[in-house]
Amino acid sequence: MTLTRNEALALLSDSISARRRRGAKRLRALADPTTAAQVRTALKRELLDKRTWETQYQLIMALGMTGSRGDVELLKELALQPRSATMVNTALGDAIVRLGCDVDNDPAPTLWCLRQDVELLADGALRAVAMLRLKFPDTAVDAVLDYAEANFHDLNHKSLAYWPAVAAAGWTGPRVRAFLTRCSQDSRQYIAEAATDALNGRYPKGVSVL
């Protein structure tokens, strides 16, 4: 059964983490800014228990869909904290990009994430860039491609080349084309297919994010 807004909000206070997570996922899907304050409160409470990283992930993603520019400093503070649950960093990168843009297609939040040299923080940021189809200026595109190329063969983080390849469908220039041509010849099929689509100006269809 699909949760209503109020049912999802009520689950944020449930004693069972899986139920809180279900509420967070629903609020993320609803993307209702009137729920941001309750999502933020629930996140701060959830962060006290390191065991519930999956729920923390969903709450951060929900805040990224419901919050505002004022939430970015909290997210950056969290991003600078060491943690073993690295998927939380992916959510933080995603949410920082979604909420941190001062103007349309602002590359500053993404570049901040790349500078922290935390791979899954960067991965989440680049995922948001691709999903939002952000059109960056050439200098920012170069920074993204520098990062992607430096980590191109890191098989422990397989999507570090994938999301820039997807995002590049909206970018132009010889540097972009050279990067995509290289990616289109990669042995990893999902990267090769994304790059081939991007070379033809197409974003992939049906991309899902946890």
Side-chain angles (χ1 to χ4, degrees), residues 13-14 17 21 31 41 51 58 64 88 94 102 110 122 129 133 141 143 169 189 203 206 209:
S13 300
D14 198 280
S17 179
R21 183 161 63 251
T41 297
R51 299 171 299 173
Q58 291 298 339
V88 172
D94 188 293
D102 286 327
T110 301
V129 170
R133 302 186 179 186
V141 168
Q189 184 177 2
Y203 292 93
V209 175

Side-chain angles (χ1 to χ4, degrees), residues 31-208:
D32 181 350
T34 67
T35 65
Q38 288 153 290
V39 169
R40 190 182 308 113
T41 297
L43 172 60
K44 290 178 179 179
R45 184 170 59 241
E46 200 72 40
L47 289 167
L48 299 175
D49 189 344
K50 295 181 180 180
R51 299 171 299 173
T52 63
W53 65 267
E54 292 171 293
T55 303
Q56 293 171 28
Y57 174 94
Q58 291 298 339
L59 282 165
I60 293 166
M61 293 296 290
L63 186 60
M65 297 301 294
T66 63
S68 65
R69 186 72 177 79
D71 292 309
V72 174
E73 286 310 308
L74 168 63
L75 296 170
K76 285 183 174 181
E77 287 176 13
L78 295 175
L80 295 175
Q81 296 175 8
R83 59 177 49 85
S84 56
T86 51
M87 279 300 292
V88 172
N89 284 330
T90 303
L92 288 166
D94 188 293
I96 287 168
V97 170
R98 289 181 183 275
L99 299 179
C101 293
D102 286 327
V103 295
D104 290 346
N105 299 305
D106 184 0
T110 301
L111 298 181
W112 183 89
C113 290
L114 298 187
R115 287 196 300 271
Q116 306 318 305
D117 197 27
V118 177
E119 287 172 337
L120 289 184
L121 181 69
D123 190 46
L126 295 171
R127 182 178 75 183
V129 170
M131 298 295 285
L132 295 171
R133 302 186 179 186
L134 298 183
K135 307 290 196 298
F136 284 167
D138 291 345
T139 53
V141 168
D142 284 343
V144 170
L145 296 187
D146 285 345
Y147 187 90
E149 289 172 349
N151 293 280
F152 195 87
H153 294 296
D154 186 350
L155 299 183
N156 291 319
H157 301 292
K158 297 181 179 180
S159 61
L160 282 173
Y162 174 75
W163 290 117
V166 173
W171 302 341
T172 59
R175 173 86 189 274
V176 173
R177 191 160 191 85
F179 172 74
L180 289 174
T181 300
R182 178 184 178 190
C183 288
S184 71
Q185 298 165 356
D186 195 81
S187 61
R188 292 164 287 183
Q189 184 177 2
Y190 59 96
I191 291 177
E193 289 178 353
T196 299
D197 281 341
L199 281 166
N200 291 289
R202 298 191 303 264
Y203 292 93
K205 295 180 180 179
V207 177
S208 61

